[in-house]
Amino acid sequence: HTQLFLKEIINKLIHPTGCKNKDVSYNFRTMKTDGLFFLDVLSIMPENNTYIYIQASNAISEKFLLLTSATDEPALRQAKCDKKTKKVLEDEVSNNDITDFFQYISIKHNGKTIFEGFDGLEYGVFSKDFIIPNWFCMKYEQDDRYTTSLDW
């Protein structure tokens, strides 16, 4: 009962508006705030016709390299933003905090950029056309983790 109770408390902290569509199982003991921010960004991304582009240092995990494929740009890797990709990235961030290796990330939906993140996901920029859920806004509005682009 104690674990279930703690999980409910964590869900309320992460989703203060009562959003119950996401089961929280992050490993908080090893994950930094940047990793949690990335997982929350990932959780609100659409899965159909969405791709993640990540520029990361060579020291990143083997699972990440197997999950992604090369692009025309040498340091940029790509992956389809589907349930499998999200699960592998969640595991890698929760257990190995791979966001430290992320220099740049871009998420595109239907060919249009909807999110860009920088410097280990310390902060990010959402498209002005992307609808950010209320729980996400409430969680991150006070610490300048994200902005919304005026241009795209």
Side-chain angles (χ1 to χ4, degrees), residues 67-119:
L67 175 71
T68 60
S69 59
T71 65
D72 292 338
E73 295 183 40
L76 198 63
R77 311 265 320 157
Q78 69 179 0
K80 194 169 192 169
C81 186
D82 55 18
K83 286 182 185 354
K84 176 186 172 193
T85 299
K86 287 181 176 183
K87 178 65 176 144
V88 171
L89 286 173
E90 180 181 307
D91 290 346
E92 286 297 287
V93 170
S94 296
N95 298 319
N96 301 318
D97 205 10
I98 63 171
T99 57
D100 283 343
F101 301 108
F102 294 174
Q103 294 147 352
Y104 170 77
I105 180 171
S106 174
I107 301 176
K108 295 184 180 195
H109 179 66
N110 292 327
K112 183 179 190 261
T113 302
I114 56 175
F115 178 79
E116 289 185 332
F118 308 92
D119 299 330

Side-chain angles (χ1 to χ4, degrees), residues 32-55:
K32 294 188 318 192
T33 310
D34 301 340
L36 186 57
F37 177 67
F38 173 68
L39 293 180
D40 284 343
V41 167
L42 203 58
S43 76
I44 64 175
M45 291 296 128
E47 293 178 358
N48 294 331
N49 206 21
T50 303
Y51 288 85
I52 303 168
Y53 301 87
I54 299 175
Q55 179 181 353

